[in-house]
Amino acid sequence: MYNNVSMLVANNKGLSQKSLVLNCLLILAISGMTLFSGISINLNNNQAQAQEDQQQQVGHTKANKLWETPANLKNPESVAYASKPNVLIFSNVNGKPDQKDQNGFISKVSPSNGSIIELNWVKELNAPKGIAISNDGNKLYVSDITDLVEIDIASGKIIKRFNGPGSSFLNDVVADNLGNIYVSDTGTNTIYKLDTNFGNSTLSSLQVWLQSRQLNGPNGLHIDNNKNKLIVVSLGPLSKPGGGMEVIDIKNKKISSLGKAGTTSPFGSLDGIVSDATITHYYVIDNPAGKVYTVNADGTGYVTLIDLHTQGLLT
């Protein structure tokens, strides 16, 4: 991924946490793709037209670069907004995504101007990828190849490492409104779960919650608390990437597809996912294709929000 990370929004004043995370998703979508000078970014700001013109790029809103980080972040993979210290938290792979080389680290960045507050805030990691903040805002959970790492946000100290039994490539991390933590394993078609409701993390363990070929290389995760669903965007087999969007009923673990892949929902090497504030639309990245999609949460259609007109590099 590119080291220069640019915020591409017109104005960040008064952004909600979900809006801020969405903007950061766009940051990583762009920083994770091969860019070239003079590139145009097409933003769809007409929701009614978006619903009518499925799979078409509509609207041409010029995006203004609000700020840019110094070139210090190393393969930034994921970002989360921590409200208590008011910082953006970035995971940096800094090397091969499956290598236990102790090169990975976590950074704190200012959401107001993109300045790096602390580059090597948390070290002693390998290839940190997905990150999620606990409901109380006190802890950060980071996937690190075969471990889920629990970090105290106030001190930046690692509290505990939870090993995923049988895991090979832990990827995205998400928390539900009950405080449970879910982690995708792209290599083994598995979703792991950490039950944090014991009140003491020493009693918790990371366990297989669901394993199925239907997950098709699960990558990005999103919790729809309104529907009690876990939304999964998939990379596809590592040997031949190409996946869609799956919906898991958290109560009974039933898996269903969100719409028809390639027709009413995107198909490709799908990576990250967040929702809008109303949870009626999902924003999904296809990293190698250089695209960000707006997807109807009911599976009735999708449009291209950003198209960089070039292929990126999947890290």
Side-chain angles (χ1 to χ4, degrees):
M1 292 184 178
Y2 271 52
N3 294 332
N4 289 341
V5 180
S6 303
M7 179 74 81
L8 298 172
V9 291
N11 193 331
N12 78 332
K13 294 180 180 179
L15 281 176
S16 67
Q17 179 173 344
K18 187 171 288 292
S19 297
L20 187 56
V21 171
L22 169 59
N23 288 321
C24 292
L25 174 65
L26 302 185
I27 290 173
L28 292 179
I30 295 165
S31 67
M33 301 165 189
T34 302
L35 306 181
F36 54 91
S37 61
I39 198 167
S40 63
I41 298 177
N42 301 308
L43 297 181
N44 171 17
N45 66 344
N46 188 326
Q47 193 61 55
Q49 186 176 356
Q51 292 174 346
E52 294 174 0
D53 300 328
Q54 295 180 6
Q55 304 178 59
Q56 295 180 15
Q57 193 168 306
V58 295
H60 295 279
T61 300
K62 183 179 180 180
N64 299 316
K65 181 172 71 174
L66 183 64
W67 50 251
E68 181 175 298
T69 67
N72 298 114
L73 301 179
K74 304 296 182 182
N75 308 107
E77 174 69 19
S78 296
V79 61
Y81 174 67
S83 59
K84 289 184 178 180
N86 187 32
V87 296
L88 296 174
I89 298 176
F90 281 81
S91 61
N92 296 263
V93 174
N94 192 25
K96 295 182 179 180
D98 60 349
Q99 188 170 353
K100 295 185 177 182
D101 53 15
Q102 290 285 292
N103 287 336
F105 60 94
I106 307 293
S107 303
K108 292 196 297 185
V109 174
S110 168
S112 61
N113 59 21
S115 62
I116 295 178
I117 299 172
E118 190 170 356
L119 182 63
N120 293 287
W121 175 52
V122 180
K123 298 184 289 185
E124 299 180 4
L125 299 171
N126 294 301
K129 299 176 186 69
I131 56 179
I133 294 174
S134 62
N135 289 354
D136 60 11
N138 293 329
K139 297 176 181 177
L140 178 72
Y141 291 92
V142 183
S143 67
D144 194 15
I145 306 181
T146 57
D147 292 344
L148 177 68
V149 183
E150 184 181 61
I151 298 168
D152 177 68
I153 293 179
S155 65
K157 301 296 184 181
I158 294 176
I159 301 172
K160 188 173 181 179
R161 299 175 188 267
F162 302 91
N163 179 258
S167 62
S168 67
F169 196 88
L170 296 182
N171 208 324
D172 203 11
V173 184
V174 70
D176 67 15
N177 60 358
L178 298 177
N180 300 305
I181 308 297
Y182 297 84
V183 189
S184 62
D185 189 323
T186 307
T188 64
N189 288 320
T190 302
I191 304 294
Y192 288 84
K193 179 181 178 182
L194 177 71
D195 188 341
T196 62
N197 294 316
F198 294 105
N200 185 339
S201 65
T202 59
L203 301 177
S204 303
S205 63
L206 188 63
Q207 296 295 331
V208 172
W209 179 71
L210 177 63
Q211 187 172 55
S212 172
R213 289 185 179 180
Q214 284 182 264
L215 295 175
N216 197 21
N219 197 338
L221 301 178
H222 175 70
I223 292 285
D224 187 335
N225 285 306
N226 290 346
K227 300 177 182 177
N228 201 32
K229 307 288 187 183
L230 176 63
I231 316 301
V232 181
V233 296
S234 297
L235 177 68
L238 293 178
S239 59
K240 187 180 180 182
M245 298 181 66
E246 307 298 325
V247 179
I248 304 173
D249 187 304
I250 293 178
K251 184 176 181 179
N252 59 28
K253 302 183 184 180
K254 181 180 179 180
I255 305 173
S256 59
S257 296
L258 181 75
K260 185 177 180 180
T263 303
T264 58
S265 63
F267 177 84
S269 299
L270 305 184
D271 194 345
I273 175 175
V274 296
S275 75
D276 63 4
T278 63
I279 319 182
T280 57
H281 296 86
Y282 303 125
Y283 299 95
V284 177
I285 292 174
D286 184 328
N287 196 331
K291 294 182 179 181
V292 177
Y293 302 108
T294 301
V295 184
N296 294 344
D298 59 6
T300 58
Y302 74 103
V303 295
T304 301
L305 178 66
I306 293 177
D307 188 347
L308 299 182
H309 307 295
T310 185
Q311 290 194 346
L313 298 176
L314 182 66
T315 59

